[in-house]
Amino acid sequence: MPTIELLTEINAPIKRCFDLARSIDLHLISTKHTGEQAIAGTTTGLIGLDETVTWRAKHFFVWQILTSKVTEMHSPDFFADEMVSGAFKSFRHEHFFFTVEGKTVMRDVFVFESPFGILGKLFNLITLKAYMTSLLTQRNAVIKQVAEDGKWEEIKNNSTN
């Protein structure tokens, strides 16, 4: 199965980064270009253990609906979400957080499998892995930017209302 691994260094406390990574509100900001909406489950605030969110977004010129569930959580060091239903055959996204020299390092491990057998594997090779890497890199850049400036308080306040 294809695996994407990213490391993002953030000059912010680990708990702030952990919470921003599971913020539905921040996720919507980071995926604005896809028209993403949270349409069911936890649709605002911080998603927690055993909670689901259903997303609607346009990818590859087609509206997609995907539901994921937080299946593991050890605050503020780790959480994992997995696809419950959607366009992938399966995916698991692991989020690790640790401190190095006063900074938080966020490590993403995204493992996925496409449907459609050999055609899905070919699509992974040609397009999907690069597309998902770009999407996750962009999301992490937004988390980093918000965590390092005063905007994180605005997201936090929206998440607690």
Side-chain angles (χ1 to χ4, degrees), residues 15 18 26 40 48 58 63 72 75 81 86 89 100 104 110 114-115 136 144 156:
K15 179 72 166 114
F18 178 82
L26 185 63
K58 189 177 267 190
W63 285 102
E72 294 181 59
S75 179
D81 57 282
K89 184 173 181 182
V100 176
T104 299
F110 186 80
S114 296
L136 293 170
K144 176 180 174 64
K156 178 182 161 198

Side-chain angles (χ1 to χ4, degrees), residues 30-97:
S30 72
T31 57
K32 187 181 266 185
H33 64 285
T34 68
E36 192 139 352
Q37 300 170 326
I39 60 171
T42 303
T43 59
T44 188
L46 302 178
I47 194 163
L49 182 62
D50 294 326
E51 293 181 344
T52 63
V53 59
T54 300
W55 304 103
R56 182 178 185 268
K58 189 177 267 190
H59 298 283
F60 301 107
F61 309 104
V62 176
W63 285 102
Q64 307 278 337
I65 294 180
L66 183 140
T67 300
S68 63
K69 178 179 182 178
V70 175
T71 56
E72 294 181 59
M73 183 176 292
H74 307 284
S75 179
D77 305 305
F78 173 79
F79 74 95
D81 57 282
E82 299 182 50
M83 188 190 79
V84 173
S85 64
F88 291 92
K89 184 173 181 182
S90 67
F91 83 61
R92 178 174 168 90
H93 187 178
E94 298 177 333
H95 311 256
F96 299 87
F97 304 85

Side-chain angles (χ1 to χ4, degrees), residues 130-145:
Y131 181 81
M132 292 304 301
T133 300
S134 175
L135 197 66
L136 293 170
T137 299
Q138 184 173 353
R139 179 179 180 274
N140 288 358
V142 172
I143 292 171
K144 176 180 174 64
Q145 177 188 355

